[in-house]
Amino acid sequence: MMLTRLVNNTSTVSRYASPWNAVGIMTRSFSLKHPCLREEKAPTGIVFMNMGGPATVPETYSFLYELFSDNDLIPISKNYQRWIAKYIAKFRTPKIEKQYESIGGGSPIKRWSEYQAAKVCEILDKTSPQTAPHKPYVAFRYANPLTDVAYKQLLDDGVKRAVAFTQYPQFSYSTTGSSLNELWRTIKSLDPQRTIEWSTIDRWPTAQGLVDGFAENINKKLEEFPKEVRDKVIILFSAHSLPMDVVNTGDAYPAEVASTVNHVMEKLNFKNPYRLVWQSQVGPKPWLGGQTAPITEFLAEGSDGILLVPIAFTSDHIETLFEIDLELIDESPHKNKIKRCDSLNGNETFIKGMADLVAAHLKNGNLHSKQLPLDFVLGKSSDPISNVSEVFGKHN
């Protein structure tokens, strides 16, 4: 009876436009455009790449071990680097642990990197809807999360397109180059089918947000000096130094750091005297100078004030919080004259500038800078990228 009524009542079937006929046979298909059946779009991965640092004191040894194992950064021995790194890390760990204890029990670089990456993706979802949703990742070279850990998460999240966004604004083969070499090794290990299409922002020394962010922070800190001497304060832009044997390969880093400094001072109308100096030298080899600490001490006594600006760092870490704040300034007999400019950290101008930079990169289709192939021709490594076109672009 029920079946007879369904067959005879054609008006009811027509009115509801059922895809099934009266005996249960599908007579038409659903459209894939139906909102309930639409396939979710794969996220675009925005991967912040940096050196990293131990988030807790007990992570110090593993951080140092990974650092001294990197032949791109510290070329010791192609065959025995990791074996030697164990002994160096074990020897240096107690001293470095005390330094991390003195700045609060670990490096803040992971926290700031995660914050900055998340904020950049929030902005990109609004300003670049065609590549949304954007998902933030952090890939550190020497600390958790390491590159392979981040890559596994990218795969788990179904990412099909990713941007390796170096957080070293100025390119050096020993920093950005090392991170990209590690990315290539990880691709070959975890993603040989090339399910993720990669591009990279490998340098951005004169990006507007970077320059404006530094200028904002410098102006704010200059306000802390007496008004009558404010324009006489010497600005010392301090960047992490490089061994001269790296510089002498033709590494781009010194010129790119100088370019950042020039653009920042141009934004400030060159209203203060300034110099570029270099910090964090270790070991007996010659390093790029002049060195931050002795030049600061030499100038401080006869100056109206010194403002130190960490020009190659995008957030606080041990080089700012310990090396500058606690070692250089707090131990100086002239510490009342010396201040450090705040690091970029959560500076909104800087973060928006990074988002603008990524949006432009996603839109223009560039896979890397025109300089990158030459960087890898000049750079020295035990296991390098041989051709950047093998890494970036669509290969699946």
Side-chain angles (χ1 to χ4, degrees):
M1 291 289 291
M2 180 66 72
L3 179 59
T4 303
R5 279 202 301 270
L6 284 172
V7 171
N8 291 335
N9 193 357
T10 57
S11 63
T12 302
V13 174
S14 175
R15 187 190 323 148
Y16 289 102
S18 171
W20 302 89
N21 67 12
V23 293
I25 300 173
M26 181 175 276
T27 57
R28 63 183 179 83
S29 61
F30 284 109
S31 169
L32 288 177
K33 293 182 180 179
H34 192 284
C36 295
L37 299 177
R38 190 177 295 123
E39 184 178 356
E40 187 175 348
K41 187 178 178 183
T44 300
I46 309 301
V47 185
F48 274 40
M49 307 188 83
N50 208 335
M51 176 183 292
T56 63
V57 173
E59 296 175 68
T60 302
Y61 171 81
S62 61
F63 167 72
L64 293 175
Y65 169 67
E66 292 294 340
L67 187 147
F68 286 106
S69 295
D70 183 8
N71 190 260
D72 296 343
L73 180 70
I74 307 170
I76 299 173
S77 168
K78 181 177 181 179
N79 296 321
Y80 302 105
Q81 182 106 9
R82 286 198 169 269
W83 185 80
I84 297 170
K86 290 182 181 179
Y87 291 92
I88 300 174
K90 184 177 180 180
F91 173 75
R92 291 183 61 86
T93 292
K95 176 183 177 182
I96 305 303
E97 282 181 337
K98 290 179 181 178
Q99 294 179 6
Y100 280 111
E101 287 170 356
S102 69
I103 63 170
S107 172
I109 192 170
K110 181 174 182 286
R111 173 169 54 86
W112 280 120
S113 297
E114 290 174 342
Y115 174 83
Q116 292 168 347
K119 287 295 184 181
V120 164
C121 286
E122 285 179 17
I123 296 170
L124 286 172
D125 283 346
K126 298 174 184 177
T127 60
S128 183
Q130 65 274 19
T131 54
H134 303 87
K135 195 168 180 64
Y137 301 86
V138 172
F140 285 151
R141 186 66 182 87
Y142 312 119
N144 290 319
L146 294 167
T147 305
D148 63 334
V149 173
Y151 207 110
K152 289 173 185 175
Q153 190 62 56
L154 286 157
L155 293 172
D156 288 344
D157 292 341
V159 170
K160 301 301 180 186
R161 183 183 185 185
V163 179
F165 186 12
T166 175
Q167 293 304 292
Y168 310 103
Q170 305 92 2
F171 183 94
S172 174
Y173 189 83
S174 60
T175 53
T176 303
S178 175
S179 287
L180 296 181
N181 279 334
E182 183 68 5
L183 174 63
W184 177 225
R185 290 189 285 267
T186 305
I187 289 171
K188 291 186 288 185
S189 172
L190 298 180
D191 190 21
Q193 300 303 316
R194 309 303 297 274
T195 61
I196 300 176
E197 177 185 347
W198 283 93
S199 62
T200 182
I201 301 173
D202 52 76
R203 70 195 72 217
W204 39 294
T206 60
Q208 196 63 54
L210 179 74
V211 171
D212 290 351
F214 273 125
E216 279 183 13
N217 284 3
I218 290 169
N219 276 326
K220 286 179 183 177
K221 189 57 68 171
L222 285 172
E223 291 292 323
E224 297 180 13
F225 288 90
K227 186 175 182 180
E228 61 272 15
V229 303
R230 201 167 291 159
D231 290 346
K232 300 177 184 178
V233 170
I234 299 171
I235 301 176
L236 294 181
F237 293 93
S238 184
H240 201 296
S241 187
L242 276 183
M244 285 306 298
D245 54 4
V246 175
V247 175
N248 290 336
T249 65
D251 197 89
Y253 179 72
E256 294 195 4
V257 174
S259 182
T260 305
V261 169
N262 188 71
H263 277 72
V264 171
M265 287 306 303
E266 187 174 40
K267 182 74 178 181
L268 297 171
N269 295 316
F270 295 95
K271 63 183 180 179
N272 290 77
Y274 72 98
R275 283 295 183 274
L276 171 58
V277 290
W278 307 89
Q279 68 178 88
S280 308
Q281 297 92 322
V282 293
K285 284 187 175 183
W287 284 60
L288 183 64
Q291 295 183 27
T292 301
I295 288 182
T296 301
E297 285 302 309
F298 176 76
L299 292 174
E301 184 175 4
S303 73
D304 293 297
I306 302 285
L307 178 59
L308 292 160
V309 181
I311 195 65
F313 305 126
T314 58
S315 67
D316 275 320
H317 54 311
I318 197 167
E319 279 84 358
T320 57
L321 299 176
F322 179 81
E323 192 173 328
I324 293 180
D325 290 355
L326 299 183
E327 272 195 328
L328 198 163
I329 298 177
D330 280 4
E331 295 180 7
S332 171
H334 310 292
K335 62 183 178 182
N336 60 315
K337 292 184 178 182
I338 308 171
K339 299 181 186 295
R340 176 176 68 86
C341 178
D342 292 342
S343 297
L344 292 169
N345 293 339
N347 182 289
E348 293 182 3
T349 298
F350 169 64
I351 291 172
K352 183 181 181 302
M354 284 198 291
D356 291 343
L357 186 65
V358 177
H361 173 82
L362 290 168
K363 184 178 180 180
N364 64 33
N366 290 339
L367 299 176
H368 52 76
S369 74
K370 290 186 177 180
Q371 304 304 317
L372 193 63
L374 180 58
D375 294 316
F376 279 88
V377 170
L378 294 171
K380 309 297 182 185
S381 176
S382 62
D383 187 15
I385 293 172
S386 58
N387 187 336
V388 294
S389 64
E390 293 180 329
V391 185
F392 303 110
K394 192 170 184 178
H395 294 274
N396 58 344

